[in-house]
C-alpha cells in the first residue's frame, strides 16, 4: 500500500513539474511577441495622411529652461560632446517682435588670484569675438527684451523696461528699436523709437529704455534694418514718406491718389507696393524707387486674393492668386516676365526670401481647404498645420526642411518667418500662440 502511495506522489510531482515547464515556455513566447512587435503589422489607418503624418510626437510641454530643453529634432553634437536641439521653442509666451542683430562679445580670462597684477593680466588677455549673431525678442506681456546668442540655447534678459501689449516691434540694431502700440480707441497706431542704455544704478548688464514718439501716422510701415529706414504712407493719403528710425529725417518720395498699399522694403533702391489683398477685389503690384524721384513701375496685377513678396535683388516675386475658387502660388520673373507655377500653395505671408534671392522658405499647410484667402486667415476664421519647405527660386522645386507636425504635438500655423543673413538660422512664430521658434538650417 505504501509503495502504491509513493508511486502516485512521484507521478503527480512529475506532472506538475512538466506542466509548469510547458506553461512557462508559452508565457515566455507570448511576452517576446508583446515586446518585439512585427513592424509589418503597423499600418497607416488613415489613407489621407502622409508617412510623416503618422509619426506625431506625443509631447505637449515645451519650456525654455536651457537645462531641460525638449529635443524636437535630431541633436547637434558639438566638439565638446554637448548636444543641443536643432529645433527649439525660444519663448513659450506671446512675442510682439523679434529679429537678428550682430554685436561683439568680450571674453576676459578669469583667475582665482585677486592680486592687482593678476587682474591687469586678465584685462590684457581680453578677447573680442566680432559680429556674433544674436536674436532679440520682445515679450508681449511684460515688454521686457530678451536675447539669445544664436549658436546657443541660452536666454538672458536684456532690458526690464515695462511696456506691455505692443503690437509690433522692429529691432534696428543691438541698442535701438521701433515700437508700435495700438491706442485705446483700437484704431490709432503710435510709432515710437526706443534707445537702449545701460542702467548705471546696478552692477548688472540690464538695460533701460529711452522712448520717443516718431510722429509717424500710418497703419502699415516697411522697415529695413540694413539701411535704417522706414517707408510709410501718411494715414488717409497717398503721400509716401521715407523716414529715419527716430522720425527726425523725413523725405516725401511719392504722391499718389491711391493710399491702400502694403509696402515692402526690398533693398536700398526699391520699395514694393501691393494693394491690400482680398479674395473679393483685384490686386496690383508696383515698385517705387527710393531716390525721391517719385518713379514707380507697374509689375503685375489684375488678380484676386493677390499678395506678394519681392526678392531682395528685386528680380522675382512670389505671389498668391485665387483661380477657380482655389488659392494658387506662383513665382514671377520680373525681367523675363516668365511664370513658375508652384505645386504646393501657401499664403505668402508665411514665406521669406533668402538674402541671396536663390530660395524661399515657406510654411505650407498640410491641408488647404477652399476659402476666401487671405481674408479668412487674416480674420482667424481658419488656421493651418504647417510644415516648412524651401523652394528653389529658379526651378520651383520643393525640399522639406522642417516637418513641424512630425516634431511638435500641436499644429503650428507659421507666421512672420525670418532667416539670418548667413542663412544659418530660421525664426518663425506660431500665429495661434505668437510663441517664437528657432531652427538651425546649417549645422556647425
Amino acid at each position: 500500500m505504501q509503495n502504491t502511495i509513493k508511486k502516485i506522489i512521484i507521478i503527480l510531482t512529475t506532472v506538475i513539474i512538466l506542466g509548469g515547464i510547458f506553461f512557462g515556455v508559452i508565457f515566455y513566447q507570448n511576452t517576446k511577441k508583446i515586446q518585439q512587435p512585427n513592424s509589418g503589422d503597423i499600418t497607416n489607418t488613415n489613407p489621407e495622411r502622409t508617412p510623416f503624418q503618422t509619426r506625431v510626437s506625443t509631447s505637449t510641454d515645451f519650456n525654455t529652461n536651457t537645462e531641460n530643453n525638449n529635443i524636437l529634432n535630431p541633436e547637434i553634437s558639438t566638439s565638446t560632446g554637448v548636444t543641443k536641439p536643432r529645433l527649439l521653442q525660444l519663448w513659450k509666451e506671446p512675442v510682439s517682435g523679434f529679429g537678428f542683430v550682430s554685436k561683439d562679445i568680450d571674453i576676459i580670462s578669469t583667475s582665482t588670484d585677486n592680486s592687482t597684477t593678476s587682474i591687469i593680466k586678465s584685462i590684457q588677455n581680453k578677447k573680442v569675438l566680432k559680429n556674433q549673431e544674436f536674436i532679440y525678442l520682445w515679450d508681449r506681456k511684460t515688454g521686457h527684451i530678451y536675447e539669445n546668442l544664436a549658436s546657443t540655447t541660452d536666454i538672458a534678459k536684456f532690458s526690464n523696461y515695462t511696456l506691455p501689449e505692443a503690437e509690433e516691434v522692429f529691432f534696428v540694431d543691438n541698442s535701438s528699436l521701433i515700437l508700435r502700440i495700438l491706442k485705446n480707441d483700437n484704431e490709432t497706431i503710435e510709432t515710437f523709437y526706443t534707445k537702449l542704455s545701460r542702467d548705471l544704478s546696478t552692477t548688472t548688464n540690464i538695460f533701460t529704455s529711452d522712448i520717443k514718439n516718431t510722429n509717424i501716422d500710418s497703419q502699415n510701415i516697411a522697415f529695413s534694418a540694413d539701411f535704417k529706414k522706414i517707408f510709410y504712407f501718411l494715414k488717409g493719403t497717398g503721400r509716401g514718406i521715407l523716414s529715419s528710425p527716430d522720425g527726425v529725417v523725413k523725405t516725401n518720395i511719392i504722391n499718389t491718389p491711391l493710399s491702400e498699399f502694403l509696402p515692402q522694403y526690398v533693398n536700398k533702391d526699391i520699395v514694393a507696393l501691393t494693394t491690400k489683398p482680398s479674395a473679393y477685389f483685384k490686386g496690383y503690384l508696383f515698385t517705387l524707387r527710393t531716390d525721391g524721384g517719385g518713379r514707380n513701375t507697374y509689375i503685375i496685377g489684375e488678380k484676386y486674393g493677390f499678395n506678394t513678396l519681392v526678392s531682395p535683388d528685386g528680380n522675382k516675386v512670389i505671389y498668391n492668386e485665387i483661380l477657380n475658387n482655389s488659392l494658387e502660388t506662383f513665382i514671377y520673373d520680373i525681367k523675363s516676365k516668365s511664370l513658375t507655377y508652384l505645386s504646393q500653395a501657401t499664403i505668402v505671408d508665411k514665406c521669406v526670401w533668402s538674402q541671396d534671392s536663390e530660395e524661399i522658405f515657406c510654411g505650407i499647410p498640410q491641408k488647404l481647404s477652399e476659402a476666401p484667402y487671405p481674408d479668412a486667415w487674416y480674420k482667424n476664421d481658419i488656421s493651418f498645420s504647417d510644415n516648412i519647405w524651401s523652394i528653389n527660386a529658379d526651378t520651383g522645386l520643393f525640399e522639406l526642411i522642417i516637418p513641424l507636425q512630425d516634431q511638435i504635438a500641436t499644429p503650428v500655423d507659421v507666421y512672420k518667418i525670418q532667416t539670418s543673413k548667413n542663412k544659418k538660422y530660421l525664426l518663425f512664430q506660431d500665429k495661434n500662440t505668437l510663441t517664437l521658434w528657432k531652427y538651425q538650417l546649417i549645422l556647425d
Side-chain angles (χ1 to χ4, degrees):
M1 183 68 177
Q2 289 180 349
N3 290 335
T4 302
I5 293 173
K6 287 181 179 179
K7 289 179 180 180
I8 293 172
I9 292 172
I10 292 171
I11 292 170
L12 289 174
T13 302
T14 303
V15 169
I16 291 170
I17 292 171
L18 291 175
I21 293 172
F22 174 79
F23 287 108
V25 170
I26 296 298
F27 177 79
Y28 174 73
Q29 290 175 339
N30 287 337
T31 303
K32 285 186 70 177
K33 289 180 181 179
I34 293 171
Q35 293 175 341
Q36 300 176 0
N38 187 339
S39 60
D41 295 334
I42 300 175
T43 60
N44 180 2
T45 57
N46 186 346
E48 295 182 357
R49 293 168 71 92
T50 67
F52 275 124
Q53 292 169 299
T54 63
R55 305 192 301 275
V56 179
S57 168
T58 57
S59 174
T60 57
D61 181 28
F62 307 102
N63 81 51
T64 55
N65 185 337
T66 58
E67 295 180 358
N68 187 31
N69 273 316
N70 291 273
I71 307 303
L72 304 177
N73 230 37
E75 294 174 343
I76 304 165
S77 296
T78 66
S79 58
T80 59
V82 178
T83 58
K84 59 181 179 179
R86 193 171 182 183
L87 171 68
L88 63 87
Q89 188 180 38
L90 270 184
W91 205 248
K92 63 179 181 179
E93 300 294 335
V95 169
S96 295
F98 57 93
F100 292 98
V101 298
S102 295
K103 63 180 181 178
D104 300 340
I105 302 176
D106 294 337
I107 299 177
I108 301 176
S109 61
T110 58
S111 172
T112 55
D113 181 1
N114 291 324
S115 66
T116 302
T117 302
S118 177
I119 293 172
I120 292 173
K121 285 182 179 179
S122 294
I123 294 174
Q124 289 174 341
N125 290 331
K126 181 178 75 171
K127 294 181 180 179
V128 179
L129 300 179
K130 292 286 189 179
N131 297 321
Q132 298 300 295
E133 195 91 67
F134 279 80
I135 297 163
Y136 280 12
L137 66 91
W138 178 287
D139 180 68
R140 186 180 178 88
K141 184 178 179 180
T142 63
H144 297 169
I145 300 171
Y146 293 81
E147 66 175 0
N148 162 244
L149 177 59
S151 59
T152 73
T153 58
D154 298 329
I155 303 285
K157 184 180 287 188
F158 185 73
S159 170
N160 58 4
Y161 181 82
T162 302
L163 187 62
E165 303 303 325
E167 293 297 317
E168 283 186 309
V169 175
F170 302 93
F171 289 97
V172 178
D173 50 37
N174 59 30
S175 62
S176 60
L177 56 95
I178 297 164
L179 181 66
R180 305 217 342 128
I181 299 172
L182 183 65
K183 294 186 72 174
N184 293 333
D185 61 8
N186 288 325
E187 291 184 2
T188 306
I189 297 177
E190 290 187 306
T191 303
F192 297 90
Y193 175 75
T194 303
K195 188 72 177 175
L196 304 174
S197 56
R198 192 178 300 278
D199 186 355
L200 300 179
S201 65
T202 71
T203 58
T204 67
N205 289 325
I206 297 298
F207 283 66
T208 59
S209 300
D210 179 25
I211 189 167
K212 171 189 175 183
N213 196 322
T214 61
N215 297 312
I216 291 176
D217 185 13
S218 181
Q219 293 294 109
N220 302 285
I221 69 171
F223 169 67
S224 169
D226 290 334
F227 311 109
K228 306 293 187 291
K229 296 289 186 180
I230 298 171
F231 176 84
Y232 66 96
F233 279 99
L234 190 64
K235 186 178 178 180
T237 76
R239 183 183 169 197
I241 298 172
L242 205 59
S243 171
S244 58
D246 57 9
V248 173
V249 180
K250 296 180 181 179
T251 305
N252 189 88
I253 63 172
I254 190 173
N255 282 297
T256 171
L258 302 177
S259 60
E260 295 298 308
F261 283 111
L262 292 181
Q264 177 203 342
Y265 218 117
V266 177
N267 55 46
K268 67 182 180 67
D269 299 317
I270 298 172
V271 171
L273 305 175
T274 307
T275 51
K276 288 189 176 181
S278 172
Y280 306 105
F281 301 98
K282 290 181 179 179
Y284 305 85
L285 169 66
F286 301 84
T287 57
L288 171 68
R289 303 292 298 184
T290 60
D291 57 11
R295 291 173 294 161
N296 62 87
T297 304
Y298 170 72
I299 303 299
I300 190 173
E302 287 283 315
K303 301 177 185 303
Y304 290 97
F306 184 65
N307 202 5
T308 71
L309 191 64
V310 180
S311 61
D313 62 10
N315 294 330
K316 291 184 174 68
V317 55
I318 181 172
Y319 73 86
N320 291 134
E321 180 180 4
I322 298 291
L323 291 173
N324 300 319
N325 294 323
S326 295
L327 182 73
E328 303 290 356
T329 307
F330 300 87
I331 296 176
Y332 178 67
D333 189 304
I334 296 174
K335 288 186 174 180
S336 67
K337 301 189 185 305
S338 60
L339 201 62
T340 301
Y341 169 78
L342 298 183
S343 59
Q344 299 188 75
T346 189
I347 296 173
V348 298
D349 299 72
K350 294 173 167 289
C351 299
V352 66
W353 284 89
S354 61
Q355 291 288 323
D356 57 16
S357 299
E358 292 180 354
E359 62 184 319
I360 312 160
F361 297 96
C362 293
I364 298 182
Q366 297 177 74
K367 184 178 180 181
L368 195 61
S369 304
E370 237 181 57
Y373 295 116
D375 311 60
W377 187 66
Y378 289 164
K379 295 177 181 178
N380 294 320
D381 293 336
I382 194 165
S383 182
F384 301 115
S385 177
D386 295 333
N387 290 317
I388 294 179
W389 298 72
S390 71
I391 307 169
N392 185 297
D394 291 325
T395 65
L397 295 178
F398 288 75
E399 180 185 354
L400 182 63
I401 300 298
I402 320 175
L404 288 175
Q405 53 76 46
D406 192 42
Q407 305 293 331
I408 304 170
T410 54
V412 175
D413 195 347
V414 172
Y415 180 61
K416 292 189 175 180
I417 190 170
Q418 294 185 27
T419 60
S420 57
K421 289 182 180 179
N422 58 10
K423 211 159 58 173
K424 186 173 182 178
Y425 300 100
L426 184 146
L427 297 174
F428 61 92
Q429 278 183 284
D430 174 15
K431 187 171 180 284
N432 299 315
T433 62
L434 298 183
T435 54
L436 181 62
W437 296 79
K438 177 177 75 173
Y439 183 77
Q440 186 168 341
L441 289 166
I442 301 175
L443 301 181
D444 294 319

